[in-house]
Amino acid sequence: MQAMRTFYGWIDAVVFDLGRQLRWTFLPPLMIYFAAGFSGLTMIVGTFFVKDYLDLSAAYLAGLTFWAGLPWALKMPLGHLVDIIWRWKWLLVYLGAGLIGASVFIMYLVIAQRELMEAVMPISAWYITSYLLSPCGLVVQDAVADAMSVEAVPALDANGDPFPEDESRAMHTTMQTLGRFALITGTVGVSLMNIYMFSGIETMDAADKAATYADIYLMALIIPVISISGVILAGIQKWRAKHNMLKRGLTRAEADALFESPDEDTTPNPWYFIGGAAFVGLSLTVGLSEIALGQELIFAGSLAIVVLLMRQLVKALEPEKARMLVGTALIVFFFRAVPRPGDGQTWFNIDVLGFDQQFLSVLSLITSVLTLVGMVVLRPLMANHPLVFIIALLTVASGVLTLPNIGLYYGIHEVTAPLTGGLVDARFIAILDTAIESPLGQVAMIPMLAWIARNAPSNLKATFFAVMASFTNLALSASSLLTKYLNRIFVITREVTDPETGEVVTPQDYSELGLLLITVTLITVLVPLTVIWVVQHSRFRTRD
């Protein structure tokens, strides 16, 4: 009986409480996030289109990827622009939807009406135009959706009183959990849609393949429709709320005042636009040159720019909150900046453990599905504990979950497989490790996003999100650089043969992979925990 009550209590905390915290106001930003996840629908068909129809080199495509990433460097000034034109932010969603729709429709016409499009300009030029339009639209919508996710969480209860801090934290955690859930659900939908659309494509002739590609691009036009629908829904919700207030006896001016607080008026700060321009200028200058240590220069320059902009944010906060912001940012940065093993571990899994493309695809699907489940199951933990506790817990968990990979390198599966009749082999251990580890990446993001949402000034919601997101994303750049340095210390090579002669150009050597994995594990655990201890024993201590 006690076990039943415990189980019911767990179900209530995980499932029913999620339903109690849901608000219809959550839906508009969730629709934009879902559209962003679903925008990957054309990724596979785009890859095959380039391979089959365009004569673009791998180096050229790599450079194109660099250019496509530049719009995300503009998220900081875009975020500030959203705050400045807050009452008309829906126009930016329409702009982003228009850019995404134009990108998709261009590719549909390129495939379905190739001769017509080629008469205007070369097909490769159309492809490049489409390729660059999409990220421009996505970053514009993302800047608006982040701010809408803050606005979606009510600050006052039905009696007009502020929600208690614990309840506010829980609602913000729920909102950000659902935001990641919507984004990943979009990617899962893409995977399932591609499996269906590409079914039997290996037996199709060129004309049928082209028709399938065109159908996928035509279907992708639903992406901008979804995000626009979110904005329309937000407008309807706001109109209904005002209408209900008028029915309760409030005047129109009083009702408008509740939705358009003067605290949300944002004074333009030129530093955010100057910083964004410097960010793009630095990326262009270094990216287009062959200067030595280019990645390091971009990282150092970008970090300096973002820290400068964070100082602008600090000025808008109360002194105590400003110190907490600095402390929290440092903890999150070092948690995300820890290195990874790199491609050597994947090569080892393929060459030595025999993991093939199908099995790696299965692991990818397991990761996506269990991430969705894990975010829901772990939401009460995130909602009821401070951010520092969550990061410390995830740090320890990340360290523990690297142990199976170390064990596989040293042959633990050769011991467990005979003892279990072949059940606990290398693939079983890999699946079990993936099943446990898969939610951690997104779970680590949710409390940070909820913290940003709760602490963002009302007139700098989008700016706060954009600058903090840029700072924490730079931690991933630091992680990549550290990974590169470690792979220079612990050299791992896969076998490379000359395709014409069959001669081995580079021999296979995984002898230092074990030391690399152990080093990465120690850094993963010790660095974040040390930073947490230092910050929590300083004036930047965070209690949130």
Side-chain angles (χ1 to χ4, degrees), residues 253-309:
E254 291 171 336
D256 289 341
L258 291 174
F259 286 91
E260 298 176 0
S261 170
D263 293 339
E264 293 185 350
D265 291 337
T266 302
T267 302
N269 187 333
W271 280 108
Y272 294 111
F273 299 104
I274 294 171
F279 207 162
V280 173
L282 175 67
S283 300
L284 285 174
T285 303
V286 179
L288 294 176
S289 65
E290 296 183 0
I291 189 171
L293 301 177
Q295 290 179 326
E296 288 80 358
L297 285 174
I298 289 179
F299 171 75
S302 300
L303 183 61
I305 293 168
V306 173
V307 169
L308 175 64
L309 297 181

Side-chain angles (χ1 to χ4, degrees), residues 396-471:
V396 175
S398 298
V400 171
L401 290 173
T402 62
L403 298 180
N405 292 321
I406 297 174
L408 286 174
Y409 174 78
Y410 287 105
I412 189 173
H413 54 288
E414 296 174 359
V415 176
T416 58
L419 292 176
T420 58
L423 176 63
V424 185
D425 59 2
R427 295 194 173 201
F428 181 92
I429 294 172
I431 289 175
L432 184 63
D433 183 53
T434 299
I436 300 173
E437 185 180 13
S438 55
L440 294 186
Q442 289 294 332
V443 166
M445 286 289 295
I446 291 168
M448 182 196 73
L449 294 171
W451 184 90
I452 294 172
R454 285 186 290 111
N455 290 277
S458 60
N459 63 332
L460 290 172
K461 292 185 279 289
T463 307
F464 207 90
F465 255 102
V467 175
M468 287 297 293
S470 296
F471 181 72

Side-chain angles (χ1 to χ4, degrees), residues 24-313:
W24 281 109
T25 53
F26 290 3
L27 194 53
L30 293 181
M31 293 173 72
I32 299 177
Y33 284 133
F34 177 83
F38 201 70
S39 65
L41 179 63
T42 59
M43 187 177 298
I44 292 179
V45 66
T47 301
F48 278 90
F49 176 81
V50 171
K51 174 180 174 292
D52 295 338
Y53 296 101
L54 297 181
D55 184 22
L56 298 176
S57 68
Y60 185 88
L61 291 171
L64 193 60
T65 302
F66 167 77
W67 289 103
L70 279 183
W72 292 97
L74 292 171
K75 189 173 179 182
M76 289 183 291
L78 277 173
H80 195 51
L81 178 63
V82 171
D83 286 324
I84 293 171
I85 62 169
W86 183 250
R87 292 179 179 84
W88 301 277
K89 61 184 179 294
W90 52 272
L91 291 173
L92 291 177
V93 178
Y94 278 95
L95 173 61
L99 294 172
I100 296 170
S103 170
V104 172
F105 195 59
I106 284 172
M107 288 305 297
Y108 168 75
L109 292 176
V110 162
I111 296 173
Q113 302 290 335
R114 185 183 179 97
E115 293 181 1
L116 176 65
M117 299 295 281
E118 205 164 17
V120 178
M121 63 181 187
I123 294 300
S124 59
W126 281 117
Y127 172 76
I128 293 168
T129 302
S130 171
Y131 191 86
L132 296 179
L133 282 176
S134 182
C136 292
L138 288 172
V139 70
V140 169
Q141 291 196 345
D142 191 64
V144 180
D146 286 344
M148 289 175 67
S149 71
V150 181
E151 185 185 42
V153 177
L156 305 176
D157 60 20
N159 298 321
D161 299 320
F163 282 104
E165 184 177 341
D166 290 345
E167 195 168 346
S168 176
R169 177 194 290 128
M171 284 192 295
H172 277 292
T173 301
T174 298
M175 175 68 246
Q176 298 304 326
T177 299
L178 292 175
R180 298 305 96 189
F181 194 94
L183 191 67
I184 298 173
T185 300
T187 62
V188 171
V190 165
S191 299
L192 296 175
M193 190 69 70
N194 278 324
I195 290 173
Y196 172 75
M197 294 299 295
F198 286 123
S199 177
I201 199 167
E202 66 277 0
T203 62
M204 296 181 186
D205 58 23
D208 289 338
K209 285 183 180 180
T212 301
Y213 293 167
D215 288 343
I216 291 176
Y217 276 110
L218 196 61
M219 189 181 305
L221 287 173
I222 192 67
I223 297 167
V225 173
I226 293 172
S227 54
I228 288 174
S229 299
V231 174
I232 294 173
L233 178 61
I236 294 173
Q237 290 175 345
K238 192 171 183 179
W239 178 85
R240 288 189 61 186
K242 284 187 177 181
H243 183 68
N244 289 336
M245 290 178 181
L246 293 175
K247 288 173 62 177
R248 287 165 49 187
L250 272 68
T251 66
R252 185 168 297 277
E254 291 171 336
D256 289 341
L258 291 174
F259 286 91
E260 298 176 0
S261 170
D263 293 339
E264 293 185 350
D265 291 337
T266 302
T267 302
N269 187 333
W271 280 108
Y272 294 111
F273 299 104
I274 294 171
F279 207 162
V280 173
L282 175 67
S283 300
L284 285 174
T285 303
V286 179
L288 294 176
S289 65
E290 296 183 0
I291 189 171
L293 301 177
Q295 290 179 326
E296 288 80 358
L297 285 174
I298 289 179
F299 171 75
S302 300
L303 183 61
I305 293 168
V306 173
V307 169
L308 175 64
L309 297 181
M310 285 183 67
R311 289 191 63 186
Q312 302 298 313
L313 285 182

Side-chain angles (χ1 to χ4, degrees), residues 315-381:
K315 293 177 182 178
L317 298 175
E318 300 171 2
E320 184 179 0
K321 279 195 172 183
R323 289 193 293 270
M324 286 177 58
L325 168 65
V326 174
T328 302
L330 285 172
I331 291 172
V332 172
F333 183 89
F334 281 96
F335 172 74
R336 302 193 77 192
V338 295
R340 300 289 181 260
D343 291 334
Q345 182 180 356
T346 303
W347 298 341
F348 176 83
N349 290 341
I350 295 171
D351 293 340
V352 179
L353 299 182
F355 292 178
D356 55 22
Q357 295 93 326
Q358 184 181 28
F359 182 69
L360 292 176
S361 298
V362 169
L363 288 181
S364 177
L365 183 60
I366 289 173
T367 298
S368 296
V369 173
L370 290 182
T371 296
L372 295 176
V373 175
M375 285 191 298
V376 174
V377 172
L378 297 175
R379 182 192 58 83
L381 176 71

